[in-house]
Amino acid sequence: QRLKAAVHYTVGCLCEEVEEDKDVQFSKQSIAAISDITFRQCEIFAKDLEMFARHAKRTTVTTEDVKLLARRSNSLLKYITQKSEEFASNNMEQKEKKKKKSSTAKGERTPGEPEAAVTENEDSNMA
């Protein structure tokens, strides 16, 4: 019920934006109808995504499932693909940063990092 209310609120906000941009008016009934259709379509999308994952013998919905769902809308598919690539590159960058931090904390060298100079302590112990 709360989700349905959130969808209704969001649709109302979007309709207000369109009203300002296009100089049109939406009745409360038309906003309610758009909200209801949007909610029902989201339920259908959720079931389809679940079926795509199940068909692939997975329990988790992946980005590829979402792309398959969006395949009929070229602009939506392009947008989802672009965002997916952005998320993937951001995740790779974050993993690299974590990897560098953990290896630096452990005293390991990262590739391309020069060896540390011998410290005074080690130098005096050798003498």
Side-chain angles (χ1 to χ4, degrees), residues 97-110:
K97 285 180 184 177
K98 284 183 182 178
K99 195 174 183 180
K100 283 182 181 178
K101 281 184 181 178
S102 68
S103 65
T104 304
K106 292 178 184 176
E108 297 173 3
R109 287 189 303 128
T110 55

Side-chain angles (χ1 to χ4, degrees), residues 5-94:
V7 169
H8 183 77
Y9 174 77
T10 303
V11 167
C13 291
L14 291 171
C15 286
E16 283 178 8
E17 286 181 26
V18 171
E19 285 177 342
E20 291 172 9
D21 288 348
K22 304 293 182 188
D23 196 31
V24 294
Q25 292 290 325
F26 288 93
S27 68
K28 290 187 184 293
Q29 293 86 0
S30 61
I31 292 172
I34 294 169
S35 297
D36 190 46
I37 291 167
T38 301
F39 192 81
R40 288 182 191 186
Q41 190 62 50
C42 287
E43 288 179 323
I44 292 167
F45 286 165
K47 288 176 185 171
D48 284 349
L49 288 169
E50 188 179 348
M51 289 297 126
F52 294 159
R54 188 178 298 166
H55 179 73
K57 295 175 177 48
R58 288 183 275 104
T59 55
T60 305
V61 172
T62 66
T63 310
E64 295 306 311
D65 297 325
V66 177
K67 289 178 187 176
L68 183 60
L69 182 73
R71 71 192 179 280
R72 291 193 179 107
S73 171
N74 288 333
S75 59
L76 181 59
L77 180 58
K78 184 179 178 181
Y79 179 80
I80 290 170
T81 302
Q82 177 188 354
K83 288 296 178 184
S84 169
E85 289 169 0
E86 285 176 21
F87 288 141
S89 83
N90 286 342
N91 284 343
M92 290 298 288
E93 288 173 11
Q94 298 238 332

